[in-house]
PDB file of all heavy atoms in Angstrom:
ATOM      1  N   ILE A 473     -67.305  69.175 -38.903  1.00 98.00           N
ATOM      2  CA  ILE A 473     -65.854  69.245 -38.992  1.00 98.00           C
ATOM      3  C   ILE A 473     -65.491  70.651 -39.438  1.00 98.00           C
ATOM      4  O   ILE A 473     -65.943  71.104 -40.490  1.00 98.00           O
ATOM      5  CB  ILE A 473     -65.283  68.225 -39.995  1.00 98.00           C
ATOM      6  CG1 ILE A 473     -65.648  66.790 -39.597  1.00 98.00           C
ATOM      7  CG2 ILE A 473     -63.768  68.381 -40.113  1.00 98.00           C
ATOM      8  CD1 ILE A 473     -65.224  65.749 -40.626  1.00 98.00           C
ATOM      9  N   LEU A 474     -64.689  71.349 -38.637  1.00 98.00           N
ATOM     10  CA  LEU A 474     -64.211  72.669 -39.017  1.00 98.00           C
ATOM     11  C   LEU A 474     -62.827  72.510 -39.635  1.00 98.00           C
ATOM     12  O   LEU A 474     -61.908  71.977 -38.987  1.00 98.00           O
ATOM     13  CB  LEU A 474     -64.162  73.609 -37.809  1.00 98.00           C
ATOM     14  CG  LEU A 474     -65.485  74.337 -37.491  1.00 98.00           C
ATOM     15  CD1 LEU A 474     -66.572  73.342 -37.109  1.00 98.00           C
ATOM     16  CD2 LEU A 474     -65.302  75.363 -36.383  1.00 98.00           C
ATOM     17  N   GLY A 475     -62.694  72.943 -40.888  1.00 98.00           N
ATOM     18  CA  GLY A 475     -61.468  72.709 -41.634  1.00 98.00           C
ATOM     19  C   GLY A 475     -60.746  73.984 -42.003  1.00 98.00           C
ATOM     20  O   GLY A 475     -61.376  75.019 -42.253  1.00 98.00           O
ATOM     21  N   PHE A 476     -59.420  73.906 -42.049  1.00 98.00           N
ATOM     22  CA  PHE A 476     -58.570  75.053 -42.344  1.00 98.00           C
ATOM     23  C   PHE A 476     -57.639  74.680 -43.492  1.00 98.00           C
ATOM     24  O   PHE A 476     -56.890  73.701 -43.404  1.00 98.00           O
ATOM     25  CB  PHE A 476     -57.766  75.456 -41.106  1.00 98.00           C
ATOM     26  CG  PHE A 476     -58.558  75.358 -39.821  1.00 98.00           C
ATOM     27  CD1 PHE A 476     -58.055  74.676 -38.718  1.00 98.00           C
ATOM     28  CD2 PHE A 476     -59.831  75.897 -39.725  1.00 98.00           C
ATOM     29  CE1 PHE A 476     -58.781  74.560 -37.548  1.00 98.00           C
ATOM     30  CE2 PHE A 476     -60.582  75.790 -38.556  1.00 98.00           C
ATOM     31  CZ  PHE A 476     -60.054  75.114 -37.461  1.00 98.00           C
ATOM     32  N   MET A 477     -57.670  75.464 -44.555  1.00 97.00           N
ATOM     33  CA  MET A 477     -56.946  75.125 -45.766  1.00 97.00           C
ATOM     34  C   MET A 477     -55.465  75.483 -45.653  1.00 97.00           C
ATOM     35  O   MET A 477     -55.001  76.070 -44.679  1.00 97.00           O
ATOM     36  CB  MET A 477     -57.582  75.842 -46.957  1.00 97.00           C
ATOM     37  CG  MET A 477     -59.062  75.537 -47.121  1.00 97.00           C
ATOM     38  SD  MET A 477     -59.406  73.781 -47.345  1.00 97.00           S
ATOM     39  CE  MET A 477     -58.940  73.586 -49.051  1.00 97.00           C
ATOM     40  N   GLY A 478     -54.718  75.138 -46.706  1.00 94.00           N
ATOM     41  CA  GLY A 478     -53.286  75.375 -46.716  1.00 94.00           C
ATOM     42  C   GLY A 478     -52.935  76.853 -46.840  1.00 94.00           C
ATOM     43  O   GLY A 478     -53.778  77.699 -47.178  1.00 94.00           O
ATOM     44  N   THR A 479     -51.681  77.155 -46.594  1.00 93.00           N
ATOM     45  CA  THR A 479     -51.218  78.535 -46.640  1.00 93.00           C
ATOM     46  C   THR A 479     -51.446  79.145 -48.020  1.00 93.00           C
ATOM     47  O   THR A 479     -51.108  78.536 -49.039  1.00 93.00           O
ATOM     48  CB  THR A 479     -49.725  78.604 -46.278  1.00 93.00           C
ATOM     49  OG1 THR A 479     -49.562  78.073 -44.964  1.00 93.00           O
ATOM     50  CG2 THR A 479     -49.206  80.022 -46.305  1.00 93.00           C
ATOM     51  N   SER A 480     -52.012  80.319 -47.998  1.00 91.00           N
ATOM     52  CA  SER A 480     -52.405  81.172 -49.134  1.00 91.00           C
ATOM     53  C   SER A 480     -53.739  80.779 -49.745  1.00 91.00           C
ATOM     54  O   SER A 480     -54.225  81.451 -50.651  1.00 91.00           O
ATOM     55  CB  SER A 480     -51.341  81.234 -50.233  1.00 91.00           C
ATOM     56  OG  SER A 480     -51.459  80.179 -51.156  1.00 91.00           O
ATOM     57  N   LEU A 481     -54.387  79.714 -49.237  1.00 93.00           N
ATOM     58  CA  LEU A 481     -55.649  79.261 -49.819  1.00 93.00           C
ATOM     59  C   LEU A 481     -56.838  79.582 -48.909  1.00 93.00           C
ATOM     60  O   LEU A 481     -56.767  79.402 -47.701  1.00 93.00           O
ATOM     61  CB  LEU A 481     -55.619  77.749 -50.061  1.00 93.00           C
ATOM     62  CG  LEU A 481     -54.587  77.236 -51.056  1.00 93.00           C
ATOM     63  CD1 LEU A 481     -54.641  75.716 -51.116  1.00 93.00           C
ATOM     64  CD2 LEU A 481     -54.806  77.834 -52.438  1.00 93.00           C
ATOM     65  N   SER A 482     -57.921  80.014 -49.517  1.00 93.00           N
ATOM     66  CA  SER A 482     -59.173  80.220 -48.800  1.00 93.00           C
ATOM     67  C   SER A 482     -60.096  79.037 -49.058  1.00 93.00           C
ATOM     68  O   SER A 482     -59.716  78.051 -49.707  1.00 93.00           O
ATOM     69  CB  SER A 482     -59.845  81.511 -49.293  1.00 93.00           C
ATOM     70  OG  SER A 482     -60.332  81.326 -50.623  1.00 93.00           O
ATOM     71  N   TRP A 483     -61.321  79.155 -48.583  1.00 94.00           N
ATOM     72  CA  TRP A 483     -62.309  78.087 -48.765  1.00 94.00           C
ATOM     73  C   TRP A 483     -62.581  77.800 -50.239  1.00 94.00           C
ATOM     74  O   TRP A 483     -63.078  76.721 -50.585  1.00 94.00           O
ATOM     75  CB  TRP A 483     -63.615  78.460 -48.071  1.00 94.00           C
ATOM     76  CG  TRP A 483     -64.357  79.579 -48.735  1.00 94.00           C
ATOM     77  CD1 TRP A 483     -64.231  80.916 -48.492  1.00 94.00           C
ATOM     78  CD2 TRP A 483     -65.327  79.467 -49.780  1.00 94.00           C
ATOM     79  NE1 TRP A 483     -65.061  81.650 -49.318  1.00 94.00           N
ATOM     80  CE2 TRP A 483     -65.745  80.774 -50.123  1.00 94.00           C
ATOM     81  CE3 TRP A 483     -65.883  78.392 -50.469  1.00 94.00           C
ATOM     82  CZ2 TRP A 483     -66.689  81.032 -51.111  1.00 94.00           C
ATOM     83  CZ3 TRP A 483     -66.825  78.645 -51.466  1.00 94.00           C
ATOM     84  CH2 TRP A 483     -67.216  79.960 -51.768  1.00 94.00           C
ATOM     85  N   LEU A 484     -62.234  78.734 -51.111  1.00 94.00           N
ATOM     86  CA  LEU A 484     -62.524  78.546 -52.532  1.00 94.00           C
ATOM     87  C   LEU A 484     -61.829  77.323 -53.116  1.00 94.00           C
ATOM     88  O   LEU A 484     -62.252  76.780 -54.132  1.00 94.00           O
ATOM     89  CB  LEU A 484     -62.115  79.799 -53.324  1.00 94.00           C
ATOM     90  CG  LEU A 484     -63.034  81.019 -53.188  1.00 94.00           C
ATOM     91  CD1 LEU A 484     -62.424  82.213 -53.883  1.00 94.00           C
ATOM     92  CD2 LEU A 484     -64.429  80.718 -53.748  1.00 94.00           C
ATOM     93  N   ALA A 485     -60.743  76.877 -52.469  1.00 94.00           N
ATOM     94  CA  ALA A 485     -60.032  75.683 -52.946  1.00 94.00           C
ATOM     95  C   ALA A 485     -60.612  74.412 -52.332  1.00 94.00           C
ATOM     96  O   ALA A 485     -59.903  73.426 -52.143  1.00 94.00           O
ATOM     97  CB  ALA A 485     -58.548  75.802 -52.623  1.00 94.00           C
ATOM     98  N   HIS A 486     -61.887  74.414 -52.034  1.00 95.00           N
ATOM     99  CA  HIS A 486     -62.542  73.312 -51.323  1.00 95.00           C
ATOM    100  C   HIS A 486     -62.491  72.005 -52.116  1.00 95.00           C
ATOM    101  O   HIS A 486     -62.314  72.007 -53.346  1.00 95.00           O
ATOM    102  CB  HIS A 486     -63.994  73.682 -51.012  1.00 95.00           C
ATOM    103  CG  HIS A 486     -64.847  73.871 -52.239  1.00 95.00           C
ATOM    104  ND1 HIS A 486     -65.454  72.812 -52.876  1.00 95.00           N
ATOM    105  CD2 HIS A 486     -65.184  74.984 -52.939  1.00 95.00           C
ATOM    106  CE1 HIS A 486     -66.140  73.258 -53.915  1.00 95.00           C
ATOM    107  NE2 HIS A 486     -65.986  74.574 -53.990  1.00 95.00           N
ATOM    108  N   PRO A 487     -62.660  70.859 -51.432  1.00 94.00           N
ATOM    109  CA  PRO A 487     -62.586  69.557 -52.116  1.00 94.00           C
ATOM    110  C   PRO A 487     -63.882  69.113 -52.778  1.00 94.00           C
ATOM    111  O   PRO A 487     -63.968  67.980 -53.257  1.00 94.00           O
ATOM    112  CB  PRO A 487     -62.201  68.598 -50.986  1.00 94.00           C
ATOM    113  CG  PRO A 487     -62.823  69.199 -49.780  1.00 94.00           C
ATOM    114  CD  PRO A 487     -62.707  70.694 -49.967  1.00 94.00           C
ATOM    115  N   GLY A 488     -64.909  69.956 -52.781  1.00 93.00           N
ATOM    116  CA  GLY A 488     -66.163  69.599 -53.431  1.00 93.00           C
ATOM    117  C   GLY A 488     -67.215  69.084 -52.462  1.00 93.00           C
ATOM    118  O   GLY A 488     -66.946  68.794 -51.303  1.00 93.00           O
ATOM    119  N   GLU A 489     -68.424  68.963 -52.962  1.00 94.00           N
ATOM    120  CA  GLU A 489     -69.574  68.538 -52.144  1.00 94.00           C
ATOM    121  C   GLU A 489     -69.696  67.022 -52.023  1.00 94.00           C
ATOM    122  O   GLU A 489     -70.189  66.503 -51.021  1.00 94.00           O
ATOM    123  CB  GLU A 489     -70.870  69.080 -52.764  1.00 94.00           C
ATOM    124  CG  GLU A 489     -71.136  70.544 -52.514  1.00 94.00           C
ATOM    125  CD  GLU A 489     -71.867  70.769 -51.195  1.00 94.00           C
ATOM    126  OE1 GLU A 489     -71.988  69.813 -50.401  1.00 94.00           O
ATOM    127  OE2 GLU A 489     -72.309  71.897 -50.964  1.00 94.00           O
ATOM    128  N   GLU A 490     -69.252  66.305 -53.031  1.00 95.00           N
ATOM    129  CA  GLU A 490     -69.545  64.872 -53.102  1.00 95.00           C
ATOM    130  C   GLU A 490     -68.971  64.096 -51.920  1.00 95.00           C
ATOM    131  O   GLU A 490     -69.683  63.309 -51.269  1.00 95.00           O
ATOM    132  CB  GLU A 490     -69.000  64.303 -54.412  1.00 95.00           C
ATOM    133  CG  GLU A 490     -69.330  62.837 -54.625  1.00 95.00           C
ATOM    134  CD  GLU A 490     -68.852  62.326 -55.970  1.00 95.00           C
ATOM    135  OE1 GLU A 490     -68.631  63.162 -56.875  1.00 95.00           O
ATOM    136  OE2 GLU A 490     -68.682  61.098 -56.095  1.00 95.00           O
ATOM    137  N   ALA A 491     -67.696  64.286 -51.619  1.00 96.00           N
ATOM    138  CA  ALA A 491     -67.061  63.504 -50.555  1.00 96.00           C
ATOM    139  C   ALA A 491     -67.635  63.809 -49.173  1.00 96.00           C
ATOM    140  O   ALA A 491     -67.902  62.883 -48.398  1.00 96.00           O
ATOM    141  CB  ALA A 491     -65.549  63.709 -50.573  1.00 96.00           C
TER     142      ALA A 491
END
Side-chain angles (χ1 to χ4, degrees):
I473 300 174
L474 274 64
F476 321 129
M477 304 301 283
T479 300
S480 86
L481 297 177
S482 70
W483 70 270
L484 285 173
H486 64 84
E489 283 273 10
E490 184 176 339

